[in-house]
Structure formats: structure tokens, C-alpha cells
Amino acid sequence: MKKFILLSVFLASSFAWAQSTYEVGVVIDSIAVADSEDETFALYLPKNYSSKKLSSIVFIFEPAARGKVGLLPFLKASEKYNHILVCSNNSRNGSYDRNFAIANRLFNHVFGQFAINKDLVFLSGFSGGSRLAATIAALSEGITGVIACGAGLSTQPSHVPYGKDFLYAGICGTRDMNYTEMLDLMPFLESLKFSKTLFTYDAGHRWPPEGKILEAFDWLHIELHKKGVIPLEENVLKDLYVANYDKAEKKLAKKEVLLALEDLNRLRHSFGSFYNLDSVTIKIKNIRNKPVYKTSSKEQDKAIKTEQELTKRYLEKINKEFVSLEEANINWWGKEFQKLKKQHIKGGDETKKMIERVRYKIFASFYQRVNPNINPESAEKQRRYSKEIIALLKESSVQ
């Protein structure tokens, strides 16, 4: 696929743009996209927005094409950093080519309507929308950063961001089915020389809360300051440092040592060029020597290993069943779901999180095989069987 989206649009919009008048500080659900058939997007202009100034922008991709839903987690970040927010009401989980065409029309329309700062163009999305955002960034020029929520990269080799330098902020719940994928993605991006980070928190597969989105944008702006793209005053830097340090301390107080270490390591990386952080380095070393850390780390490693084994087993079973429905055995699944439920009841915190991730992987695997947007050619028998499995999974809920 060609590098297709933003470069030509920037060249055109840098010379002429037609400002439309929209109310600031409110989510506008549905604005028509020019040169499209019934395509629309949701829009949010921050309260301090001015049509006379270049604006930063965040294009958001919601996996179920719910524009307003996609905008809501970004409102606090929009007000703090004066971002325009745009979310398509048509892009959804499904064909990349279809979504590329929708994104192209959306970009052309928006860049024709607003004066955008070409150095501050961000993409974000959740689940399949996250993969789409990263893919567009990989195939485009001019993307400043990606905020990837609940999923990593596309599985297509041509979508890997080789040779790119956009910033990458991942956000993922520790009960999210894609949690281990996001963990594994960080060293891979490191090998590609990316500036990247991962924010994790205790939640399942859902849009992150406003606070997590804001943390991601705080990190992005610190990195952009370090690159010389934007200036941050010393008092702003100090406030961000103190706020992030306090968050780590609160997690330590609640014995959330793995999450606290994540924050402290990010703190050291983000602010190490501004301040002497020897004390933070010593704190990290001391935490790693504590029994609570060693126990938590060991439990997490064991849970992830078990998750890998279970995931392989279940996906192999699902693939066999969909190659030949004669392999289908709903009773087998019923027994497996009960085993998972017992493990969840008896297991520690990391085991419980792991079981919830595995259950959602099973749900997603069956669901995507019968979702007409993702798999329009699935047979009626396959759809019926998948719905039965999903219903059985819900009946054995671990919540």
C-alpha cells in the first residue's frame, strides 16, 4: 500500500482552508463528510479553540463506528492541550481497504475545514480501531503520535511501522484479552528505535477512562518537548513530575508494586534528562528486592505462561471446528468453561486476571467468525454454533 493519507492533504490544506462555524465545548454527534455517501463524523472543539490559530488534532477510530463514544474519553486531554477531536461514524472493525477509503475522505474533509498544525497530528483508537490507527501511521507521513488503546499492531506484515518515528503510547487493562500482546509489543518497538511507553491499569477490554488518556497525552507532550517540537515551561514539567511520582507512591501504598514500578520506570525515562533521579533509581532497586514484588512478579510470569498454553489449545480447537463442523463439540466447551471458572475462584489476583483474558479471547475468536463486517462469508451453521458457544460462555460468567 502506498503512503497515502496525510502528505498530499497537508500540501493542499497549507494554502487554503474553509473554516466552518461549530460550537465549542460540546460534542457534535454527526457532521457530514464531503464527497461521501452518507458518511459522518463526531467533532469536539475545546473551549479555547480559535479558528485564527493552528490547532493540534486527534483522529479517533471507534471499533463499532460510534463517534460520540470514541470522543468522550478524550475530552479532558482536549481541554488541557487544546486538541480538536474527530471520530468517524463509519469506520469500524472490518476491511482495512474500506477503512482506508473512509479515513482518506475524512482527512480530506477535516484538513479542508480547519487550520491544523502539521507537527501535532495524533491518531488513536480502541481494539480494532487501535490497530487501524497504528496501520495508518505506518503507511503515512506526518503522524506525530499514536495512542493505542486495547490492541497493538495489525497482523499484516506490510502494516508494520518500519522506518517510522512517530511516538507510540499504548494503554491496556490487565484483564484485557490483548494485555500480553501489548507487553510483547514494547520490546519489538524498542528494536525499531521507537519512543514508546505502555500504561496499564486494572480493567478489561474497554475504552480507557479519561484519566488514562490524559496520562498518555502528558507523556506525549513531554516527549515532544524533549524533541524540541513544543516548549513546556519549567513549572509545567515540575508539576507533571510530581503528579506522576505521587501516582506511583499511591500504588505502592496499595501494594500494587507492578503498576508502581511501571510508573517509576517511565518517570525515570521521561524526566531523567531534566532532573537527577538517582533517588528514583534506588527506589526501583529497593522495590525489586522486596518479597511482595518477587511474589507478584513470579505469579504474573506463571499466569502469562499458563495463558499462552490455554490460548494455543483453545484457538487450535476453534480452528479445527471451523474447518469442519464435525469437530464441533459444545459439551467439551461447557466442561472447559467450568474448569476456567473453578480456576478463577481458587486462583490469586494474577490468575483471575489471566482467566478473564482467556475467556475474552475465546469470545472474540467466535464473535469475529460470525461478525458480517469481519467475516461476511461465514456459513449459517458456523454462526449458529458460535452463538451457542458465546451464550454458554456468558452462562459460566466469572464475575
Side-chain angles (χ1 to χ4, degrees):
M1 186 104 190
K2 296 179 180 179
K3 296 182 175 73
F4 65 114
I5 292 181
L6 290 179
L7 187 58
S8 61
V9 177
F10 277 140
L11 292 175
S13 64
S14 62
F15 296 104
W17 50 276
Q19 173 64 49
S20 298
T21 302
Y22 298 106
E23 189 175 357
V24 301
V26 297
V27 174
I28 303 172
D29 290 352
S30 184
I31 299 172
V33 176
D35 300 322
S36 71
E37 296 182 5
D38 301 323
E39 290 177 10
T40 65
F41 65 95
L43 172 72
Y44 184 82
L45 300 178
K47 294 172 184 175
N48 289 328
Y49 168 78
S50 171
S51 62
K52 297 179 181 179
K53 297 179 181 179
L54 293 177
S55 296
S56 56
I57 192 165
V58 186
F59 288 98
I60 302 160
F61 297 96
E62 214 285 325
R66 302 168 298 176
K68 183 176 180 180
V69 170
L71 292 189
L72 292 179
F74 292 79
L75 298 185
K76 283 186 178 179
S78 173
E79 291 299 339
K80 181 173 182 178
Y81 292 109
N82 216 36
H83 299 311
I84 295 173
L85 304 179
V86 169
C87 187
S88 171
N89 284 314
N90 301 90
S91 175
R92 62 171 69 240
N93 282 353
S95 163
Y96 275 101
D97 287 339
R98 174 183 177 274
N99 284 320
F100 291 157
I102 291 170
N104 260 327
R105 288 188 287 270
L106 178 63
F107 291 148
N108 276 299
H109 177 91
V110 170
F111 282 107
Q113 293 293 314
F114 299 96
I116 304 301
N117 185 334
K118 66 182 180 63
D119 293 324
L120 296 174
V121 178
F122 303 94
L123 305 181
S124 187
F126 167 64
S127 194
S130 176
R131 299 189 197 282
L132 177 62
T135 298
I136 292 174
L139 299 177
S140 305
E141 300 296 339
I143 301 299
T144 308
V146 169
I147 304 90
C149 307
L153 304 180
S154 160
T155 58
Q156 297 186 31
S158 62
H159 295 172
V160 177
Y162 294 114
K164 296 296 179 177
D165 62 354
F166 57 85
L167 302 170
Y168 188 97
I171 309 176
C172 193
T174 55
R175 300 172 195 269
D176 191 308
M177 63 178 177
N178 295 320
Y179 173 67
T180 56
E181 172 197 339
M182 295 295 277
L183 290 180
D184 292 340
L185 178 59
M186 292 300 108
F188 175 70
L189 291 179
E190 179 79 21
S191 72
L192 299 183
K193 309 300 182 184
F194 264 73
S195 293
K196 77 323 179 238
T197 194
L198 177 62
F199 295 86
T200 65
Y201 66 111
D202 190 2
H205 191 62
R206 65 192 66 162
W207 271 108
E210 285 184 292
K212 281 296 164 187
I213 297 291
L214 184 56
E215 285 183 48
F217 274 105
D218 287 342
W219 177 82
L220 287 166
H221 280 74
I222 293 166
E223 293 300 305
L224 290 172
H225 174 69
K226 288 159 68 174
K227 287 174 172 283
V229 177
I230 59 172
L232 292 178
E233 299 294 334
E234 173 58 31
N235 64 312
V236 174
L237 275 175
K238 184 177 180 181
D239 287 347
L240 286 170
Y241 173 81
V242 171
N244 281 278
Y245 187 87
D246 287 347
K247 287 173 186 174
E249 284 292 299
K250 288 177 182 178
K251 290 173 184 176
L252 283 175
K254 294 189 289 185
K255 294 186 169 42
E256 296 175 345
V257 290
L258 298 182
L259 294 177
L261 268 182
E262 176 188 299
D263 287 351
L264 290 170
N265 279 315
R266 181 165 41 246
L267 195 75
R268 186 169 56 172
H269 179 272
S270 294
F271 294 95
S273 58
F274 306 122
Y275 309 125
N276 184 331
L277 298 184
D278 288 346
S279 61
V280 175
T281 300
I282 293 170
K283 180 181 282 288
I284 290 171
K285 184 177 179 180
N286 289 339
I287 291 170
R288 289 183 178 277
N289 287 328
K290 290 183 178 180
V292 64
Y293 166 76
K294 293 180 179 180
T295 299
S296 297
S297 181
K298 185 176 180 180
E299 288 178 355
Q300 185 185 64
D301 290 345
K302 182 179 179 181
I304 289 175
K305 183 178 179 181
T306 302
E307 179 176 355
Q308 292 170 340
E309 295 168 352
L310 289 174
T311 299
K312 180 181 178 182
R313 180 186 183 199
Y314 291 142
L315 291 185
E316 286 178 351
K317 175 67 173 174
I318 292 169
N319 289 334
K320 285 182 181 179
E321 291 185 334
F322 274 83
V323 169
S324 173
L325 277 178
E326 285 73 22
E327 297 281 343
N329 186 341
I330 196 166
N331 291 328
W332 184 89
W333 284 107
K335 293 177 182 178
E336 290 300 311
F337 294 158
Q338 289 304 315
K339 289 179 184 177
L340 291 177
K341 188 169 186 176
K342 290 179 181 177
Q343 283 181 269
H344 189 273
I345 292 170
K346 295 179 180 179
D349 191 44
E350 293 299 325
T351 297
K352 292 182 188 299
K353 293 175 183 178
M354 178 271 292
I355 295 298
E356 291 172 37
R357 296 195 296 262
V358 169
R359 282 173 53 85
Y360 207 104
K361 286 180 184 179
I362 296 169
F363 164 79
S365 189
F366 276 104
Y367 178 76
Q368 71 181 5
R369 282 168 168 77
V370 297
N371 184 335
N373 294 313
I374 300 173
N375 191 2
E377 298 180 359
S378 60
E380 180 57 32
K381 285 184 179 179
Q382 292 174 325
R383 293 182 182 180
R384 230 177 11 246
Y385 179 66
S386 294
K387 289 177 181 178
E388 289 177 3
I389 297 294
I390 290 171
L392 189 64
L393 185 62
K394 289 180 179 179
E395 288 174 10
S396 62
S397 172
V398 297
Q399 302 301 326

